[in-house]
């Protein structure tokens, strides 16, 4: 839906630029070349200066930095590292070759900056023509001061959003594009800087995941299945058991409510990775829990909590419950105390028992309020790197999979592919897959959820 | 009005980027030589001592040498993340040498090459050499493994065979430790059976662990894992249990301090025992590894970096490293030192190294599949035959 | 009536029993952690659970033996990063969510969805890119770069706060507009004072984040030990060559991290609840 609206907008913008050139006078047309010239000619110096400065800054950027990366962007570098023997020193002198990673990254950056520059340029062209028209009609040309003043109220969203946009563009969007592009290269162990170059290979990596290489695609499908299962299990076990715990403590006849809650909340204090590393120690074949079990005579040999394929999966879900239930209990307790009393009243008058009240009133209300929380949890669990990496390391490793273990999620597999195997291209493809799955799922759920539809309800 | 926003964004981006291009130029303050050295956490102190003495020995220049903590295992990973920002001189194990050379990250050593090769043991020099080109300075020859045991449980005679060790442990309700789900240790059975893993001409791994000898080795691993006195885990499990419920275990010189502390007067070490592979008692082999000092090919001070690397690995400093860190020297003279010869762990290692196999032809793809096989054995997962598992393992290793 | 009371008694007893059991399960790892932090013997694994000897040494040495592991410096680094991340990301989240909730401008929906999906992006792949970008900006291995990275990822978690702003009555804004207040004034003087729960929630979550991350720190700081934060530092203590000597100190270090974080959660829990539910529960 956004696309269909976007395309004409871009076209309209382009059309305006063309019109501006066709109908523009000399100053307007010259402003296409020297940005901001119209400002100086038509006495709105400050706006002209801003445009001119942008142009100078862009040109300077291209000369000093961007140009050299942009030129090499299509090949990702051609110059390999070289060495020449220096008789006098008795050593080789290495000449640095191109660095494909830097070319890919800064080339992308330069492309983005260039696109931004063209948007500014187009706005410059339109403004030039507008000022021409205004001047002809004898109207007032908007000044920079007025534009800045509008940031306080009419264009307040620009004020609020520019800095976050800048940060997010630099540290999330640009790296994201970089990663997507990496999936189209042969950046792997054999093509690493500083000694080697990598280059574009089209869709090769995608075909190898989707069936070109049996083992990799099999691993991908199986891990995807486990990732989804894990996300569902971990999200709902936490939610349901958190709810049961909250309901138990909330029961009218139970005493020391605050104390009970404190006990569970106190576990939040310990950083997650500490808990996880401790748990992995405790659950190890030689760890505390196995020692205890053997001392109590419950088992003869250590139980493979982390090494048996099925048991390891159960273990990660249970440990995740240990970590997550205090949070969900805390939240659900909060909601329980906030359900409007009159809703209960009405139900009781209708003669509904406690179970019916729970399913008719408590549960729907709770789901309504916590949908956004559940979505974040679900997505977070799909990408729940820490718990798997620190607890089982993805293990037990299996020969069925391509360098992955039974509890590996797609993200941990991805991480191993980059860190241990340097298969950056393969990892990028996995990353894109994870990203698409989570993005599509969350967009659908979020836009249908109560939170999005109720947005205008108080308006 | 969106244009203003766009203008602002573009301007800020341009300015910040243009302004920052300069940070790349390092300023040379006359004669000051800037060098960065990477070494393991535990080696920091000893490295600092070496650096101080290096400065003293070269008073004609001012050196600004800084230390960074990057352990040998992470060296390759860290270096290749961004070679330009990495250390000039760094320590790494010899099995990373192929990947480092292939990535063009190591400086070929030509300066004083003769001396370096003649001073150090042949095997250690070979570990630092590819196609007759020397790429690093041998620093230690202790990156291998052998067996520690508790003298009060296992006799010297029993320590000679795996059966003997296991029987002795079982008798007293103790365990024998070996991390079979680690390719480094698991390989000792395959190597003992006569299998080979090496680098092919096309730069790919060649491995025949799935031939008949390999299957016999696989069966031997299976039997070991099924033994009631067998226990697995990582070094932490071993150092935690030795002297307690663990009476013998396979590990390397780096756990010597911890094991000594736990066993006290019962501390003993020997080469790996023999094991029944097929019908024969065969001496278990091992990977014999070396720690090397490399010079980053992106260094701005190649000559100075080489001088320093050579200094760090000279006889005196190898002895210093032995005294401070119990590291086994690769320098011939240092290895003949009385103190070194008396060291129990290094002695055992030296014995084992006679059955050592160089690990420099091992690529990183080797480890995970072998680990997967070892894990299946430890879990007593026999859903596939040993042959099937090994076929699958070798296919992954060589892919 | 009697049978009803009996039944309630039985069910209460059952609940007490279950709660006690659960409480023990939840407290055991914590007790274990604290016990280990006072253990006098070295090593990670022991064949017993209760330490043989107790000592305060592990705590003391964290602060006295700083030449290898500079724990106090890491603590300080973490606090600095946490405080600045907290301030910057709270401001940014509030700004973004207010803009999306209260202001109407072209492409708002597109922008919001873009923000939502960008927030889902697994950060690992982008780490190399982020590292190179920071390096070229000249921030390389500095604490500022951590603050920037954490803040920019926190900025994308705007929709909880947006949900909160959606629930604030719009009539207040309208009245203020009639009185001649600008949008800017409304934001600072009317909306923010009403938003204490969501401010505290955002501040709390962004303050705690730097205590948990160890991967980004390792990519950015690489070999620069003095710039590490607590989590990566503690993580290093458990590496193969360090675990024997440092495990008990790791436990001590973790306890010292847990205390302030725990206190924060204890005191601010009601804001946390009200924040996470987007204002449906009043703080």
């Amino acid at each position: 839906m956004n696309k269909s609206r976007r395309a004409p907008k871009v076209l309209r913008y382009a059309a305006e630029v063309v019109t501006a050139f066709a109908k523009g006078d000399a100053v307007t047309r010259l402003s296409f070349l020297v940005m901001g010239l119209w400002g100086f000619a038509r006495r709105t110096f400050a706006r002209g200066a801003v445009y001119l400065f942008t142009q100078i800054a862009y040109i300077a950027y291209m000369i000093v930095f961007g140009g050299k990366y942009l030129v090499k962007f299509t090949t990702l570098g051609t110059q390999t590292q070289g060495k020449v023997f220096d008789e006098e020193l008795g050593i080789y002198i290495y000449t640095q070759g191109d660095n494909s990673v830097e070319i890919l990254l800064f080339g992308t950056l330069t492309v983005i900056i260039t696109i931004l520059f063209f948007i500014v340029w187009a706005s410059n062209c339109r403004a030039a023509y507008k000022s021409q028209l205004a001047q002809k009609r004898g109207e007032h040309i908007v000044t920079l001061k007025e534009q800045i003043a509008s940031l306080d109220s009419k264009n307040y969203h620009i004020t609020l959003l520019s800095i976050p946009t800048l940060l997010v563009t630099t540290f999330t969007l640009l790296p994201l594009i970089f990663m997507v592009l990496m999936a189209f290269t042969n950046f792997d162990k054999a093509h690493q800087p500083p000694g080697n170059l990598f280059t574009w290979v089209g869709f090769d990596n995608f075909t190898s995941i989707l069936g070109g290489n049996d083992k990799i695609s099999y691993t991908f499908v199986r891990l995807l299945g486990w990732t989804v299962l894990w996300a569902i299990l971990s999200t709902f076990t936490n939610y349901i058991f958190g709810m049961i715990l909250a309901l138990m403590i909330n029961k009218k006849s139970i005493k020391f409510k605050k104390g009970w809650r404190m006990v569970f909340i106190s576990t939040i204090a310990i950083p997650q990775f500490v808990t996880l590393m401790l748990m992995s120690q405790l659950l190890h074949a030689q760890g505390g829990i196995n020692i205890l079990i053997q001392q109590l005579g419950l088992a003869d040999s250590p139980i493979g909590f982390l090494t048996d394929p099925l048991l390891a999966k159960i273990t990660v879900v249970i440990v995740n419950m240990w970590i997550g239930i205090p949070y969900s209990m805390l939240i659900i307790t909060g909601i329980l105390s906030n359900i409007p009393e009159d809703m209960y009243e009405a139900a009781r008058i209708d003669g509904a028992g406690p179970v019916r009240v729970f399913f008719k009133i408590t549960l729907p209300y709770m789901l309504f309020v916590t949908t956004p929380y559940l979505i974040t949890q679900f997505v977070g669990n799909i990408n729940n790197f820490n718990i798997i990496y620190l607890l089982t390391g993805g293990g037990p490793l299996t020969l069925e999979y391509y360098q992955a273990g039974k509890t590996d999620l797609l993200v941990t597999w991805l991480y191993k592919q980059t860190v241990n195997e340097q298969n950056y291209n393969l990892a990028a493809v996995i990353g894109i897959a994870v990203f698409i799955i989570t993005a599509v799922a969350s967009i659908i759920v979020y836009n249908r959820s109560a939170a999005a539809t109720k947005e205008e309800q108080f308006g | 009005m969106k244009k203003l926003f766009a203008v602002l964004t573009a301007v800020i981006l341009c300015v910040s980027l243009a302004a920052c291009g300069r940070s790349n130029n390092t300023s040379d303050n006359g004669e000051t030589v800037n060098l960065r050295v990477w070494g393991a956490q535990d080696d920091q102190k000893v490295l600092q001592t070496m650096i101080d003495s290096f400065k003293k020995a070269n008073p004609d220049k001012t050196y600004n040498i800084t230390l960074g903590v990057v352990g040998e295992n992470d060296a390759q990973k860290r270096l290749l993340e961004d070679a330009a920002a990495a250390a000039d001189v760094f320590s790494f194990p010899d099995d990373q040498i192929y990947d480092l050379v292939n990535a063009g990250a190591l400086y070929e050593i030509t300066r004083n090459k003769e001396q370096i090769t003649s001073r150090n043991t042949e095997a250690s020099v070979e570990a630092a050499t590819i196609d007759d080109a020397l790429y690093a300075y041998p620093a230690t020859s202790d990156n291998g493994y052998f067996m520690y045991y508790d003298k009060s449980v296992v006799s010297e005679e029993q320590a000679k065979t795996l059966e003997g060790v296991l029987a002795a442990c079982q008798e007293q309700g103790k365990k024998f430790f070996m991390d079979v789900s680690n390719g480094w240790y698991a390989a000792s059975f395959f190597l003992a059976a006569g299998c080979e893993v090496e680098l092919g001409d096309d730069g790919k791994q060649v491995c025949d662990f799935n031939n008949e000898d390999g299957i016999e080795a696989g069966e031997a691993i299976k039997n070991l894992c099924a033994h009631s006195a067998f226990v697995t885990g990582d070094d932490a499990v071993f150092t935690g249990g030795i002297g307690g419920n663990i009476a013998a275990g396979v590990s390397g010189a780096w756990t010597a301090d911890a094991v000594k502390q736990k066993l006290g007067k019962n501390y003993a070490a020997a080469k790996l025992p023999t094991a029944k592979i097929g019908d024969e008692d065969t001496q278990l082999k091992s990977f014999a590894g070396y720690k090397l000092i490399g010079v980053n090919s992106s260094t701005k001070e190649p000559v100075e970096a080489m001088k320093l690397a050579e200094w760090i690995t000279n006889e005196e400093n190898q002895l210093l490293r032995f005294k401070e860190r119990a590291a086994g020297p690769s320098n011939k003279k240092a290895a003949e030192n009385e103190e070194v010869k008396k060291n129990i762990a290094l002695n055992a290692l030296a014995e084992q190294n006679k059955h050592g196999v160089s690990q420099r032809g091992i690529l990183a793809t080797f480890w995970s599949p072998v680990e997967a096989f070892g894990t299946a054995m430890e879990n007593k997962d026999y859903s596939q035959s040993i042959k099937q598992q090994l076929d699958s393992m070798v296919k992954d290793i060589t892919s | 009536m009697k049978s009803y009371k009996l039944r309630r008694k039985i069910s209460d007893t059952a609940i007490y029993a279950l709660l006690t059991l659960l409480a023990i399960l939840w407290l055991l790892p914590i007790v274990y952690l604290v016990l280990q932090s006072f253990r006098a013997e070295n090593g990670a694994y022991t064949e017993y659970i209760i330490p043989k000897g107790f000592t305060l040494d592990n705590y003391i040495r964290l602060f006295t033996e700083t030449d290898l592991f500079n724990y106090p410096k890491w603590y300080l680094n973490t606090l600095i990063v946490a405080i600045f991340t907290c301030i910057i990301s709270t401001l940014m989240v509030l700004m973004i969510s207010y803009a999306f909730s209260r202001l109407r401008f072209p492409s708002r929906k597109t922008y919001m969805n873009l923000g939502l999906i960008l927030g889902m992006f697994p950060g690992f792949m982008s780490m190399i890119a982020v590292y190179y970008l920071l390096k070229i900006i000249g921030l390389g291995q500095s604490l500022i770069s951590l603050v920037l990275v954490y803040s920019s990822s926190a900025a994308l978690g705007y929709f909880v706060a947006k949900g909160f702003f959606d629930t604030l009555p719009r009539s207040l804004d309208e009245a203020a507009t009639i009185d001649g207040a600008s949008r800017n004034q409304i934001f600072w003087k009317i909306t923010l004072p009403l938003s204490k729960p969501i401010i505290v929630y955002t501040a709390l979550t962004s303050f705690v984040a730097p205590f948990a991350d160890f991967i980004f720190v390792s990519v950015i700081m690489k070999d620069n030990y003095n710039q590490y934060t607590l989590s990566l530092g503690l993580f290093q203590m458990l590496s193969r060559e360090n675990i024997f000597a440092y495990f008990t100190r790791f436990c001590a270090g973790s306890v010292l991290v847990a205390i302030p974080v725990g206190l924060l959660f204890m005191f601010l829990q009601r804001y946390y609840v009200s924040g996470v539910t987007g204002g449906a529960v009043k703080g």
Side-chain angles (χ1 to χ4, degrees), chain B residues 2 5 16-17 20-21 23-24 36 38 40-42 44-45 67-71 73 78 81-85 143 184-185 234-237 239-246 254 258 261-262, chain C residues 39 41-48 67-69 74 106-107 111 128 131-133 135-139 141 215 217-225 228 232 236 239-244 246:
Chain B
K2 233 182 335 187
F5 171 37
S16 57
L17 285 168
C20 295
S23 62
N24 266 5
R36 188 157 180 81
W38 278 354
Q41 174 83 20
D42 291 350
Q44 298 284 307
K45 242 184 224 162
L67 267 171
V69 183
V70 174
N73 289 327
R78 283 278 181 241
E81 272 175 2
D82 182 8
N143 211 18
W184 207 46
Y185 298 106
D234 53 18
D235 284 335
V237 171
T239 50
I242 186 79
N245 71 333
I246 296 175
W254 57 90
Q261 194 182 326
K262 287 257 181 161
Chain C
R39 171 148 63 91
E41 313 92 72
N42 268 345
Y45 290 93
T46 50
E47 292 143 39
Y48 40 87
D67 45 341
L68 288 184
F69 285 114
W74 294 340
S107 326
Y111 222 68
I128 318 168
Y131 165 74
Y132 274 95
L133 282 169
K135 189 180 150 197
I136 208 82
I137 301 175
L139 291 176
Q141 303 178 331
I215 297 172
V217 193
S218 92
V219 169
I220 290 171
M221 298 308 177
K222 298 197 188 299
D223 57 336
N224 201 340
Y225 256 47
Y228 277 15
L232 183 60
Q236 291 294 325
S239 70
R240 195 183 79 165
E241 60 268 31
N242 297 329
I243 189 167
F244 183 78
Y246 287 95

Side-chain angles (χ1 to χ4, degrees), chain A residues 67-144:
Chain A
K68 59 178 184 278
Y69 292 108
L70 201 57
V71 173
K72 292 173 186 162
F73 195 56
T74 48
T75 57
L76 297 180
T78 47
Q79 189 73 42
T80 42
Q81 186 188 47
K83 56 179 183 183
V84 192
F85 197 72
D86 184 324
E87 292 290 345
E88 198 186 325
L89 291 172
I91 60 166
Y92 282 100
I93 298 294
Y94 283 69
T95 52
Q96 296 302 323
D98 291 329
N99 185 328
S100 300
V101 175
E102 289 185 1
I103 295 172
L104 182 60
L105 178 63
F106 298 134
T108 312
L109 175 70
T110 308
V111 170
I112 292 178
I113 287 182
T114 306
I115 291 173
L116 286 177
F117 174 72
F118 272 102
I119 294 172
V120 178
W121 175 79
S123 96
N124 159 69
C125 299
R126 285 166 74 229
Y129 183 55
K130 263 192 194 161
S131 69
Q132 177 191 335
L133 293 180
Q135 200 181 34
K136 214 193 297 175
R137 294 194 208 109
E139 284 166 7
H140 168 70
I141 302 171
V142 181
T143 64
L144 185 68

Side-chain angles (χ1 to χ4, degrees), chain B residues 48-115:
Chain B
Q48 190 58 54
T49 318
M50 295 176 190
I51 289 169
D52 291 342
S53 64
F54 175 75
K55 284 183 192 164
K56 231 177 246 167
N58 295 281
D60 49 323
K61 280 192 182 145
T62 18
Y63 288 94
N64 174 24
I65 303 173
T66 53
L67 267 171
V69 183
V70 174
E72 281 86 7
N73 289 327
D74 296 330
Q76 175 192 349
K77 188 173 87 186
R78 283 278 181 241
L79 188 81
L80 294 180
E81 272 175 2
D82 182 8
D88 302 283
V89 176
F90 64 101
S91 179
F92 67 99
D94 62 328
D95 57 316
Q96 292 175 4
I97 196 168
Y98 266 104
D99 286 332
L100 284 169
V101 169
N102 285 339
L106 277 177
Y107 217 115
E108 189 183 331
I109 311 296
T110 43
R111 200 175 173 277
N112 297 340
K113 185 177 170 184
E114 288 296 305
Q115 281 159 292

Side-chain angles (χ1 to χ4, degrees), chain A residues 164 166-172, chain C residues 85 88-89 92 96 130 146-157:
Chain A
L166 180 68
L167 264 185
V168 170
T169 310
T170 325
F171 292 117
T172 308
Chain C
T85 306
I88 296 178
S89 36
M92 289 215 305
I96 298 175
V130 171
L146 286 183
V147 174
L148 283 178
V149 172
Y150 293 145
S151 304
S152 73
S153 61
L156 293 167

